[in-house]
C-alpha cells in the first residue's frame, strides 16, 4: 500500500522514552500484519473526509489498510457493481412504490439514493441522520447499483418507455417461485468488502426511501474475503465448486456488446445500461454432499479441486466436448452443467455472472436454507439468460440438486454523470 500522509496516533501506555523511529517501525509492522493482499478496485490515496469520515484537525488517525481504502467510483459510463470484482458482503433489496407515489416521487427518491450512494462510496457519511455504523471504516470497495422492474413503468406512467427486453421471464419447469420474494418496482444491489460498510449502506438506502417506497423483499449474501487465498482465483460456491470460470472478461473485444446496451440503443435512456436477472437458488446440500467426488464432478463437468474441465488441462483450458473414455463415453457427460451452459452450445448466448452465496439458517426439516443469489448481467436477457435457462430446463444434471425459489428482471440504466442521478434520463426525459 502506498504511504499516506496521516499522522500516526500515539499508542496509549507507550513508554515516554520510546523513540519516534521505533513507533513508526511498529506502525509499519502492524500495517503489514493487517495485510493488503487480494484487495481490488481503485485505491483512494488521500486522507480526510473520504476515509473513515475523516478526522478533526486536532485528531491523529492511523492509516487504513488497503482493504479499507479501496474505492469504486459512483459516476461513470456504467453503474458500479457490474464489472467490479466480487465483494465479500452483499445485500439485494427490492422496493415497491407506495400507494399514490408516481413519477415525481420516484425522481426525488432516485435523486436521494444517488447522492447517498455517491457519498458512501467515497467513504463519507450520508447527508442526513447518519447512523455512524461505518464511521471507523473507509469505502471498502462499496458499490450501490439501481434498477427498474417491469411494474415500475406502469406505476409512473412511463409505459411507453418500458424496454421490450424487460418483458417478464418465461416460466421454467425448475421454478418453485415465491411471488412475495420476486420482482419489484425498484431494485438495489449493495456490495462491500466490509460487513458493517455494506449494512450501513443498506440502512441508509432504506431510510432514504421514506414514504415514497416500501421494501418488497431483501436478501443477504457473502463471498470469500479478498486476501483469503494465496493468490487471486475464481470464487467457489457452497457446493465447493469453482464457479464463474467462463465469465466474459472486460478485456475481450465483444464484452461491451454482450453485456451492455449500446450507446445508441433502444430505448435511449438505457444507453450504456444492462439487464440484471436475479434468482434465489436453493442448493439441496444434504443430497449433494451424499454424492461421491466423481459423481459431483460428472454433474458439473469440471474437477472440484481446480475447476479444470474433465477433458483435461487447467481451469482455463477449452473443454473438449468430443473426448471419450475407453468405453467410448464422453469424458464430459452429455448432461453436465458446464457443457450445457457453454455459449457455443447456446447460439453464443453470454452473461456476466456476479453472484453472492447465502445461508439463512436451518429450516423446519433441519435442512440448510443455503445456496446462491444468482445475478447475471447481459445486454438482452432474451439472448442471454433465457436460452441458457431453457436448455438447462431440458436436462441439466445439476437440476436435481437446486431449486429456483425467487426471480426478478431489472433494467439497470447507464451510470450517472457528474451532477446527475441514476435514471434521470428516464424520469425527466
Amino acid at each position: 500500500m502506498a504511504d499516506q500522509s496521516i499522522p500516526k496516533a500515539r499508542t496509549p501506555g507507550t513508554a515516554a522514552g520510546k523513540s519516534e523511529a521505533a513507533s513508526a517501525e511498529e506502525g509499519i509492522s502492524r500495517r503489514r500484519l493487517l495485510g493488503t493482499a487480494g484487495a481490488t478496485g481503485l485505491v483512494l490515496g488521500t486522507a480526510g473526509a473520504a476515509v473513515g469520515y475523516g478526522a478533526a484537525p486536532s485528531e491523529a488517525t492511523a492509516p487504513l489498510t488497503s482493504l479499507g481504502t479501496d474505492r469504486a467510483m459512483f459516476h461513470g459510463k456504467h453503474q458500479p457493481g457490474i464489472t467490479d470484482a466480487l465483494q465479500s458482503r452483499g445485500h439485494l433489496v427490492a422496493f415497491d412504490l407506495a400507494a399514490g407515489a408516481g413519477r415525481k416521487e420516484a425522481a426525488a427518491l432516485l435523486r436521494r439514493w444517488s447522492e447517498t450512494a455517491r457519498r458512501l462510496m467515497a467513504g463519507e457519511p450520508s447527508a442526513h441522520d447518519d447512523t455512524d455504523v461505518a464511521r471507523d471504516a473507509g469505502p471498502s470497495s462499496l458499490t450501490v447499483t439501481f434498477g427498474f422492474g417491469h411494474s415500475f413503468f406502469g406505476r409512473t406512467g412511463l409505459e411507453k418507455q418500458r424496454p421490450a427486453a424487460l418483458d417478464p421471464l418465461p416460466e421454467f419447469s425448475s421454478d418453485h417461485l415465491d411471488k412475495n420474494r420476486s420482482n419489484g418496482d425498484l431494485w438495489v444491489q449493495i456490495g462491500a468488502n466490509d460487513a458493517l460498510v455494506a449494512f450501513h449502506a443498506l440502512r441508509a438506502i432504506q431510510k432514504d426511501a421514506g414514504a415514497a417506497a416500501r421494501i418488497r423483499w431483501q436478501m443477504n449474501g457473502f463471498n470469500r474475503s479478498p486476501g483469503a487465498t494465496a493468490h487471486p482465483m475464481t470464487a467457489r460456491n457452497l457446493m465447493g465448486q469453482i464457479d464463474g470460470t467462463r465469465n466474459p472478461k472486460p478485456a475481450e473485444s465483444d464484452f461491451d456488446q454482450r453485456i451492455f446496451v449500446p450507446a445508441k440503443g433502444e430505448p435511449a435512456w438505457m444507453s450504456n445500461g444492462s439487464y440484471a436477472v436475479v434468482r434465489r437458488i436453493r442448493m439441496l446440500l444434504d443430497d449433494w454432499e451424499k454424492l461421491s467426488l466423481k459423481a459431483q464432478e460428472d454433474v458439473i463437468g469440471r474437477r472440484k479441486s481446480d475447476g479444470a474441465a474433465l477433458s483435461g488441462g487447467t481451469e482455463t483450458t477449452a473443454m473438449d466436448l468430443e473426448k471419450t473414455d475407453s468405453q467410448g463415453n464422453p469424458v464430459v457427460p452429455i448432461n453436465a452443467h458446464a457443457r450445457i451452459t457453454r455459449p457455443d452450445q447456446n447460439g453464443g448466448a453470454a452473461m456476466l455472472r456476479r453472484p453472492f452465496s447465502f445461508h439463512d439458517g436451518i429450516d423446519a426439516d433441519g435442512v440448510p436454507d443455503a445456496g446462491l443469489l444468482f445475478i447475471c448481467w447481459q445486454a438482452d436477457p432474451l439472448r442471454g439468460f433465457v436460452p441458457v435457462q431453457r436448455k438447462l430446463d431440458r436436462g441439466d444434471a445439476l437440476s436435481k440438486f437446486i431449486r429456483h425459489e425467487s426471480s426478478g428482471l431489472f433494467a439497470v440504466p447507464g451510470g450517472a454523470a457528474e451532477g446527475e442521478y441514476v435514471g434521470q434520463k428516464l424520469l425527466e426525459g
Side-chain angles (χ1 to χ4, degrees):
M1 185 181 88
D3 291 336
Q4 299 181 36
S5 301
I6 308 176
K8 183 182 185 299
R10 183 183 297 274
T11 304
T14 300
K18 190 170 185 176
S19 70
E20 295 273 325
S23 296
E25 183 176 349
E26 179 186 85
I28 293 171
S29 298
R30 180 174 180 274
R31 291 198 299 274
R32 286 176 178 163
L33 179 63
L34 287 170
T36 60
T40 58
L42 299 176
V43 175
L44 182 64
T46 57
V51 178
Y53 297 3
S58 60
E59 295 177 353
T61 307
L64 295 163
T65 70
S66 67
L67 189 66
T69 59
D70 283 352
R71 174 183 173 185
M73 307 306 294
F74 176 73
H75 295 294
K77 182 178 180 181
H78 310 296
Q79 284 198 58
I82 302 176
T83 59
D84 300 270
L86 290 174
Q87 297 117 314
S88 60
R89 292 291 185 273
H91 300 291
L92 308 180
V93 56
F95 293 82
D96 285 335
L97 291 173
R103 182 173 176 177
K104 179 181 177 181
E105 290 76 15
L109 175 57
L110 266 296
R111 189 180 296 110
R112 291 195 300 274
W113 274 352
S114 294
E115 176 60 12
T116 293
R118 183 195 66 79
R119 292 176 65 93
L120 298 187
M121 285 175 56
E124 302 171 11
S126 53
H128 304 288
D129 301 322
D130 190 87
T131 62
D132 283 343
V133 172
R135 168 174 284 276
D136 309 305
S140 301
S141 299
L142 174 68
T143 60
V144 186
T145 318
F146 304 104
F148 304 112
H150 185 275
S151 56
F152 175 82
F153 297 85
R155 294 179 183 273
T156 55
L158 291 165
E159 292 96 333
K160 292 183 179 179
Q161 291 297 320
R162 182 163 51 209
L166 201 57
D167 285 351
L169 296 172
E171 293 184 3
F172 302 104
S173 63
S174 59
D175 286 352
H176 296 76
L177 303 183
D178 178 353
K179 293 183 179 179
N180 293 324
R181 292 196 294 183
S182 298
N183 303 313
D185 294 345
L186 294 155
W187 175 67
V188 185
Q189 173 192 250
I190 295 168
N193 281 330
D194 179 79
L196 289 181
V197 168
F199 176 81
H200 178 245
L202 174 66
R203 224 22 224 124
I205 291 297
Q206 291 172 336
K207 290 171 65 178
D208 275 351
R214 59 180 177 79
I215 293 177
R216 180 180 178 86
W217 54 259
Q218 180 194 323
M219 300 175 189
N220 310 310
F222 58 91
N223 284 305
R224 176 168 278 159
S225 298
T229 56
H231 54 80
M233 61 179 292
T234 310
R236 289 186 185 273
N237 60 35
L238 298 189
M239 287 178 162
Q241 300 290 151
I242 289 179
D243 193 344
T245 296
R246 290 188 58 84
N247 251 350
K249 306 293 190 297
E252 295 170 1
S253 59
D254 61 349
F255 179 85
D256 281 4
Q257 176 185 343
R258 300 160 86 182
I259 306 304
F260 293 109
V261 176
K264 295 184 180 180
E266 293 292 337
W269 65 267
M270 272 296 289
S271 170
N272 298 314
S274 188
Y275 292 91
V277 173
V278 182
R279 311 272 283 183
R280 185 185 194 269
I281 303 176
R282 176 90 168 262
M283 293 178 172
L284 309 181
L285 294 178
D286 283 356
D287 294 337
W288 173 256
E289 290 163 4
K290 291 175 184 176
L291 297 179
S292 67
L293 174 61
K294 182 182 185 306
Q296 289 181 353
E297 292 180 337
D298 283 344
V299 166
I300 301 300
R302 290 183 176 276
R303 292 199 299 256
K304 195 171 184 178
S305 60
D306 58 5
L310 297 183
S311 54
T314 67
E315 181 188 353
T316 57
T317 301
M319 184 178 289
D320 183 353
L321 301 181
E322 305 302 322
K323 189 172 182 179
T324 58
D325 60 20
S326 57
Q327 283 75 44
N329 299 313
V331 173
V332 180
I334 295 297
N335 62 350
H337 183 76
R339 174 191 281 265
I340 293 175
T341 57
R342 286 171 56 94
D344 58 6
Q345 300 295 301
N346 294 280
M351 49 194 169
L352 176 65
R353 300 173 70 261
R354 196 178 182 277
F356 292 96
S357 292
F358 73 87
H359 178 220
D360 293 334
I362 307 298
D363 68 15
D365 296 325
V367 177
D369 184 6
L372 196 70
L373 300 181
F374 175 90
I375 308 164
C376 70
W377 301 89
Q378 57 258 285
D380 183 350
L382 295 178
R383 297 184 178 182
F385 173 79
V386 171
V388 175
Q389 187 59 37
R390 277 180 171 156
K391 194 167 184 180
L392 290 172
D393 233 24
R394 293 195 295 267
D396 177 23
L398 185 60
S399 62
K400 291 172 54 179
F401 304 97
I402 60 175
R403 183 186 301 138
H404 292 247
E405 295 186 335
S406 69
S407 178
L409 171 62
F410 303 96
V412 177
E418 295 277 353
E420 294 183 351
Y421 64 87
V422 173
Q424 185 168 338
K425 292 181 177 66
L426 169 65
L427 292 164
E428 297 185 17

